[in-house]
Amino acid sequence: MDTVPAAKAERWQRFRKNRNKALAARHGWLTLTSFQWLEDSPCTVELAPGLWSTDGTTAVLTAVPADGLSLVGTGEPVSGTITAVLADEESLMWVQFGGPGGNQVVVELAMRAGKFAVRTRDSASPILTGFGGVPTYPYNPDWEVTGRFEPYPEPVDVPIATANLLVDGVHRSVGEVVFCVPGSGHEFRLQAEEEKLGALTVTFHDETNDDTTDDWRKLAVPRPRPDNSVVLDFNRAINYPSAFTPYGTCPMPVTNNSLDVRVEAGEKLPAG
């Protein structure tokens, strides 16, 4: 560890601090307590008041004052019927209820696989209240590697599975990140998605999965340089929300996005 440049070690520590802080958000990923599809006729759902339904294009909620529901953001009480429309993969923190301030639980409306669902987010969830940070491997500069990005002429939509067996996903591959890692004598080619401002995301399996790490992880890769070289710092590999909760719909890696080595860097299985 003495050979690790102090500046890099400090940046990694700041990254970890901010990552744990984000996970501990009051109604963040650690607060999910249910995932339920909406039916075509008004009915109750688990862990939330009101009557919920959808006609396939619009979500409908009917509530009475005794339900204690209010709109997230404005705090306006919900009395009667309200509706919302979402595009596929969109989410809306729609209504809230419970607790001293009437906002202990937020009900998120989501459109997944062309269907409406609701997820409850409870700020009193024991996963959140007992959270002490994500375990990680020690920082290792050997797992910061340089590779190259080989863009495709056009993005390619690749069907994938997700953490929810009933939800199919699509990986929009914009090219391949090519690199070598410690312990392997050959190159890897992993398909990447594009994020804001040209940055990339790589979702991958490796030989630590189901042992010290979750089933898969992801890595943010800074925007390729003008010569298409990229830096992959696997010390910053993180878990998807589905590592912390059974109510995620997180995308799995595309076929062949696997490394046949142990990537002993980044986040481990969550504690507990």
Side-chain angles (χ1 to χ4, degrees), residues 131-258:
F131 180 64
V134 186
T136 69
Y137 285 99
Y139 183 85
N140 183 346
D142 292 342
W143 281 103
E144 182 178 334
V145 300
T146 299
R148 67 182 184 276
F149 175 58
E150 297 184 357
Y152 295 152
E154 297 290 339
V156 177
D157 287 340
V158 182
I160 56 171
T162 74
N164 186 313
L165 295 177
L166 300 178
V167 177
D168 293 328
V170 174
H171 184 284
R172 172 152 284 195
S173 299
V174 295
E176 296 177 358
V177 176
V178 185
F179 58 95
C180 292
V181 299
S184 176
H186 61 86
E187 284 189 331
F188 292 100
R189 289 178 168 271
L190 302 184
Q191 295 182 44
E193 288 190 294
E194 188 174 46
E195 304 297 338
K196 294 180 179 179
L197 302 177
L200 304 171
T201 294
V202 175
T203 302
F204 67 96
H205 293 293
D206 73 88
E207 294 297 311
T208 66
N209 296 163
D210 296 321
D211 178 16
T212 56
T213 64
D214 193 44
D215 293 344
W216 65 91
R217 293 180 289 170
K218 68 176 177 178
L219 177 65
V221 179
R223 181 177 181 174
R225 297 164 178 156
D227 64 355
N228 273 344
S229 63
V230 290
V231 175
L232 299 93
D233 187 355
F234 284 94
N235 293 287
R236 300 191 179 213
I238 64 172
N239 295 321
Y240 273 99
S242 53
F244 305 94
T245 171
Y247 306 114
T249 58
C250 305
M252 291 184 179
V254 299
T255 302
N256 299 326
N257 262 28
S258 297

Side-chain angles (χ1 to χ4, degrees), residues 68-87:
L69 290 166
S70 63
L71 295 176
V72 173
T74 67
E76 179 183 353
V78 178
S79 181
T81 297
I82 60 174
T83 61
V85 175
L86 298 177

